[in-house]
């Protein structure tokens, strides 16, 4: 109960009390007890103005005030011989006020005190009164009932009020929270938009139903679109359909694509693009679509093309000078011996010169073979069953002065082109033979693992420095006086054509090991069966 209402109601009470006293038999004469009571009562209410509101709000303060009121009114009724009059009605007023102002467990004691005092007054003024007298039988229970009903009513009203207040407070807090979350989401969206806009890759997001939802500035640039395209159906942009097909596929299978390439025809221009795809689904399935992050590879492709061209030109230049140099030597020798032949009649000399001419032409033919093998563009090999052991054995036979040991499985059969694979091992064993000293040793070992035939060519020759190891596959790199520097380039080329690979380990002064892996099946997956090998 707030202070203003309390004091206003009390003024009503005080006014009623003064009326009680004024209408009593003694009247309200100065300095009579009734006059003093009215004055004290009035002053007590004025004093309330001095007490701070907070202190008045405590239940004990209110209890004391209402108890004081009950006593003051009781005294007034007593002084006015109230039992005879209707002035007991003032009790109803104070009890009603006490009940409205506090809860039940405080208003009931006040009602008890009021009833007791009132009962006593009736008894005092009417000694020997019967308990069944209407003044006792009706008025006192009525006072109680008023106390009970009004305090119950005010308590439940207060409770309702409190609930309503709590609900309102909760609503206000909820509104604040919603506003905060909305602001946060707007900020977050702006933040992620900023990120998407400043990445150098293109970003496009398309909803499941084909509506374009995001295009960042790089995507707009590459596609030659304006931001108005956002919100349109992807079907309107025909050049995007191949990408949309891939996105749909990722969406259907719910699997992302880490790396792929596609060429889109944008305004009569072929644009190669590297891209990754991620299907996304938003909260409660509200948004479902796919995001593609892509990079325009046009510049990179052009650069690669230029580089390849430059590389080819540089090889061509090197090759031209190398051929000129390499062929001129044997050619000069052939020319010289041919001139000598013209004038010679000595049979032995003729034989000797003929042999030299043959050697020269062999050397030229060897060089031409190497050049052809190196210059050959990548092609599909003629795949047949090849027993690598047989090939190596025939090479070893042609090198009777070199110490070569063969070990490992007896039938290392793979799929490939016999002549090409022969060239691989001629080169590898040849390099080893050129690297070892007179008492050096070469070993060739065959194994099978992971669907591959593994051939290891090992020598205990001069080995290579780390620097030379890095250059070993570079065309024309040679450390030999009469080397072509094409051997290892040809080797890798052939192994690549067979879908295999080569590993090299080498230490200066210790030796070199070359490990060649050739698949047992060709690229179409046809396995080499035992019967095929034997046939
Ligand atoms: P070439 O044999 O005509 O020099 P290759 O391409 O066959 O050309 O070899 C390139 C270079 O790699 C050789 O000159 C040599 O320095 C080095 N090399 C290759 N194989 C071996 C080996 N088994 N031991 C030592 N060095 C080797
Ligand atoms: Mg060689």
């Amino acid at each position: 109960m707030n202070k203003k209402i309390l004091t206003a109601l009390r003024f009503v009470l005080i006014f009623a009390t003064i009326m009680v006293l004024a209408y009593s038999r003694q009247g309200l004469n100065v300095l009579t007890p009734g006059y003093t009571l009215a004055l004290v009562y009035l002053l007590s209410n004025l004093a309330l103005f001095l007490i701070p509101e907070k202190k008045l709000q405590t239940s004990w303060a209110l209890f004391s005030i209402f108890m004081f009121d009950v006593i003051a009114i009781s005294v007034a009724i007593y002084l006015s011989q109230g039992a005879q009059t209707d002035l007991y009605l003032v009790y109803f007023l104070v009890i009603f006020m006490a009940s409205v102002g506090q809860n039940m467990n405080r208003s009931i004691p006040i009602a008890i005190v009021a009833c007791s005092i009132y009962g006593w007054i009736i008894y005092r003024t009417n000694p020997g009164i019967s308990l069944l007298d209407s003044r006792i039988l009706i008025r006192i229970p009525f006072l109680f009932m008023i106390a009970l009903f009004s305090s119950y009513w005010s308590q439940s009203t207060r409770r309702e009020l409190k609930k309503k207040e709590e609900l309102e407070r909760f609503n206000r807090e909820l509104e604040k929270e919603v506003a905060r979350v909305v602001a946060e989401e707007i900020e977050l969206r702006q933040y992620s938009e900023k990120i998407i806009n400043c990445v150098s890759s293109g970003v496009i997001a398309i909803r499941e139903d084909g509506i374009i939802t995001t295009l960042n500035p790089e995507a707009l640039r590459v596609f030659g679109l304006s931001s108005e395209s956002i919100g349109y159906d992807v079907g309107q942009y025909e050049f995007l359909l191949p990408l949309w097909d891939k996105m749909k596929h990722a969406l259907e299978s719910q699997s992302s694509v880490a790396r792929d390439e596609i060429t889109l025809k944008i305004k009569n221009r072929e644009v190669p693009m590297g891209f990754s795809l991620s299907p996304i689904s938003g909260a409660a399935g509200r948004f479902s679509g796919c995001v593609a992050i892509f990079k325009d590879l046009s510049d990179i492709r052009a650069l690669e093309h230029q580089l390849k061209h430059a590389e080819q030109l540089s090889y061509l230049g090197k090759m031209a000078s190398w051929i000129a140099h390499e062929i001129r030597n044997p050619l000069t020798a052939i020319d010289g011996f041919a001139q000598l032949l013209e004038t010679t009649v000595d049979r032995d000399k003729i034989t000797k010169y003929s042999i030299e001419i043959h050697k020269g032409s062999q050397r030229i033919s060897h060089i031409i073979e190497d050049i052809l093998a190196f210059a050959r563009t990548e092609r599909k090999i003629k795949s047949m069953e090849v027993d690598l052991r047989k090939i190596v054995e025939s090479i070893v036979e042609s090198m009777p002065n070199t110490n070569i040991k063969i070990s490992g499985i007896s039938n290392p059969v793979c799929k490939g082109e016999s002549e090409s694979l022969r060239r691989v091992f001629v080169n590898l064993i040849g390099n080893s033979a050129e690297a070892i000293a007179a008492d050096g040793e070469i070993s060739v070992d065959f194994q099978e693992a992971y669907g591959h035939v593994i051939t290891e060519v090992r020598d205990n020759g001069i080995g290579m420095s780390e620097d030379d190891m890095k250059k070993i596959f570079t065309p024309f790199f040679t450390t030999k006086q009469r080397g072509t520097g094409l051997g290892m380039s040809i080797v890798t080329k052939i192994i690549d054509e067979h879908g295999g690979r080569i590993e090299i380990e080498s230490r200066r002064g210790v030796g070199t090991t070359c490990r060649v892996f050739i698949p047992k099946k060709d690229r179409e997956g046809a396995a080499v069966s035992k019967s095929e090998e034997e046939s």
Side-chain angles (χ1 to χ4, degrees):
M1 188 177 259
N2 81 32
K3 193 168 151 180
K4 271 185 206 150
I5 294 177
L6 180 71
T7 46
L9 285 175
R10 283 189 95 232
F11 273 128
V12 173
L13 266 184
I14 291 161
F15 177 71
T17 310
I18 289 170
M19 294 304 280
V20 167
L21 291 165
Y23 284 99
S24 69
R25 251 174 275 148
Q26 288 108 324
L28 201 62
N29 295 324
V30 181
L31 292 177
T32 57
Y35 177 84
T36 315
L37 177 75
L39 197 66
V40 168
Y41 203 6
L42 192 67
L43 287 176
S44 79
N45 206 30
L46 292 174
L48 280 190
F49 282 106
L50 302 175
I51 301 172
E53 170 127 24
K54 241 194 188 155
K55 282 200 177 149
L56 273 184
Q57 292 301 336
T58 60
S59 52
W60 277 109
L62 285 173
F63 181 73
S64 314
I65 290 167
F66 293 133
M67 199 54 106
F68 177 80
D69 290 346
V70 167
I71 290 167
I73 286 163
S74 300
V75 172
I77 289 174
Y78 178 73
L79 290 175
S80 60
Q81 307 293 310
Q84 315 297 334
T85 67
D86 293 330
L87 298 175
Y88 67 90
L89 291 171
V90 182
Y91 266 127
F92 287 117
L93 210 62
V94 73
I95 284 176
F96 178 73
M97 234 179 89
S99 312
V100 171
Q102 331 169 82
N103 54 25
M104 249 189 214
N105 50 10
R106 290 251 195 281
S107 61
I108 297 296
I110 288 176
I112 292 173
V113 170
C115 291
S116 310
I117 296 173
Y118 183 60
W120 179 77
I121 292 172
I122 295 171
Y123 185 73
R124 254 316 278 267
T125 48
N126 305 283
I129 191 169
S130 158
L131 276 177
L132 296 176
D133 187 284
S134 70
R135 280 168 290 181
I136 291 179
L137 194 68
I138 297 175
R139 289 180 193 174
I140 290 178
F142 239 84
L143 282 177
F144 257 110
M145 259 146 63
I146 288 284
L148 269 174
F149 282 128
S150 53
S151 62
Y152 172 74
W153 167 78
S154 78
Q155 203 167 318
S156 54
T157 311
R158 260 202 305 274
R159 215 180 288 145
E160 286 292 313
L161 217 69
K162 206 169 169 190
K163 255 194 215 160
K164 208 174 139 191
E165 266 172 18
E166 257 168 31
L167 210 70
E168 271 172 11
R169 205 182 54 232
F170 179 72
N171 266 349
R172 274 197 303 277
E173 267 165 29
L174 207 70
E175 267 171 25
K176 258 194 232 162
E177 188 61 18
V178 168
R180 194 182 62 76
V181 169
V182 167
E184 222 168 64
E185 197 185 312
I186 290 173
E187 200 180 329
L188 208 72
R189 199 163 12 165
Q190 284 171 346
Y191 179 67
S192 48
E193 260 170 28
K194 259 186 210 157
I195 292 177
I196 289 175
N197 286 349
C198 66
V199 289
S200 62
S201 301
V203 178
I204 178 171
I206 304 179
R207 223 164 51 191
E208 202 170 25
D209 57 3
I211 299 296
I212 301 171
T213 57
T214 305
L215 280 168
N216 78 337
E218 173 64 4
L220 294 176
R221 186 192 69 77
V222 175
F223 297 149
L225 296 176
S226 73
S227 53
E228 267 125 56
S229 312
I230 297 170
Y232 277 92
D233 194 298
V234 66
Q236 302 211 356
Y237 307 102
E238 210 176 305
F239 65 92
L240 282 176
L241 293 181
L243 180 65
W244 174 227
D245 277 344
K246 297 228 173 207
M247 289 167 93
K248 267 196 292 195
H249 186 258
L251 215 98
E252 274 157 23
S253 59
Q254 279 299 307
S255 56
S256 44
V257 175
R259 215 189 163 109
D260 201 352
E261 278 188 26
I262 197 170
T263 302
L264 297 184
K265 199 163 180 186
I266 304 171
K267 293 181 182 157
N268 296 326
R269 199 168 64 92
E270 304 252 314
V271 182
M273 295 197 327
F275 67 91
S276 65
L277 300 177
S278 317
I280 44 170
S281 51
R286 254 191 322 134
F287 178 85
S288 172
C290 189
V291 180
I293 299 175
F294 62 88
K295 198 101 199 158
D296 179 357
L297 299 180
S298 309
D299 293 347
I300 294 173
R301 284 283 178 276
L303 216 66
E304 276 174 3
H305 192 72
Q306 274 177 15
L307 220 76
K308 218 171 196 162
H309 191 61
E311 214 171 52
Q312 276 170 352
L313 279 180
S314 116
Y315 285 151
L316 204 70
K318 272 188 196 164
M319 194 139 92
S321 60
W322 176 80
I323 293 169
H325 178 257
E326 287 303 302
I327 293 185
R328 193 173 290 139
N329 283 342
L331 218 56
T332 315
I334 290 170
D335 191 43
F337 287 119
Q339 280 177 24
L340 285 175
L341 266 183
E342 276 174 19
T343 53
T344 309
V345 285
D346 183 346
R347 192 87 214 132
D348 289 347
K349 276 189 179 164
I350 289 175
T351 313
K352 193 183 153 208
Y353 296 155
S354 304
I355 289 171
E356 288 303 328
I357 288 173
H358 182 67
K359 267 193 200 162
S361 69
Q362 282 274 292
R363 168 91 187 130
I364 291 173
S365 126
H366 173 72
I367 290 166
I368 288 172
E369 248 173 58
D370 266 6
I371 291 169
L372 286 179
F374 171 70
R376 198 172 57 195
T377 51
E378 195 159 317
R379 75 219 151 95
K380 207 167 175 310
I381 52 160
K382 290 186 213 100
S383 202
M384 300 211 295
E385 295 87 57
V386 181
D387 188 335
L388 296 183
R389 197 180 177 108
K390 279 187 190 148
I391 290 180
V392 171
E393 276 168 358
S394 81
I395 296 169
V396 172
E397 259 171 44
S398 68
M399 301 168 76
N401 301 325
T402 318
N403 181 9
I404 307 176
K405 287 201 178 89
I406 300 177
S407 61
I409 56 168
S410 57
N411 53 346
V413 180
C414 63
K415 273 252 172 170
E417 207 172 70
S418 174
E419 250 329 289
S420 301
L421 290 171
R422 187 186 166 81
R423 191 180 277 277
V424 167
F425 293 106
V426 165
N427 269 301
L428 293 180
I429 296 171
N431 279 347
S432 285
E434 284 161 356
I436 55 171
D439 59 345
E441 194 182 279
I442 301 171
S443 67
V444 183
D445 180 66
F446 296 103
Q447 295 302 332
E448 245 179 53
Y450 312 112
H452 284 75
V453 173
I454 306 164
T455 314
E456 194 177 275
V457 180
R458 181 195 295 264
D459 68 62
N460 57 359
I462 52 170
M464 280 175 273
S465 66
E466 265 183 42
D467 222 27
D468 285 353
M469 279 275 286
K470 283 183 198 150
K471 293 186 256 178
I472 187 169
F473 297 116
T474 310
F476 306 108
F477 168 73
T478 180
T479 54
K480 300 167 196 167
Q481 252 200 343
R482 303 208 65 187
T484 63
L486 288 177
M488 292 308 281
S489 302
I490 293 166
V491 164
T492 42
K493 190 168 188 160
I494 294 170
I495 294 174
D496 278 351
E497 283 170 350
H498 282 74
R501 65 190 163 90
I502 181 168
E503 286 174 4
I504 296 180
E505 286 164 22
S506 186
R507 275 186 64 192
R508 204 137 190 69
V510 177
T512 304
T513 304
C514 300
R515 223 166 281 124
V516 177
F517 297 73
I518 304 287
K520 280 182 76 65
K521 294 177 185 178
D522 58 20
R523 287 188 185 173
E524 275 72 46
V528 182
S529 70
K530 208 84 188 143
S531 56
E532 278 174 326
E533 287 161 30
E534 279 151 11
S535 63

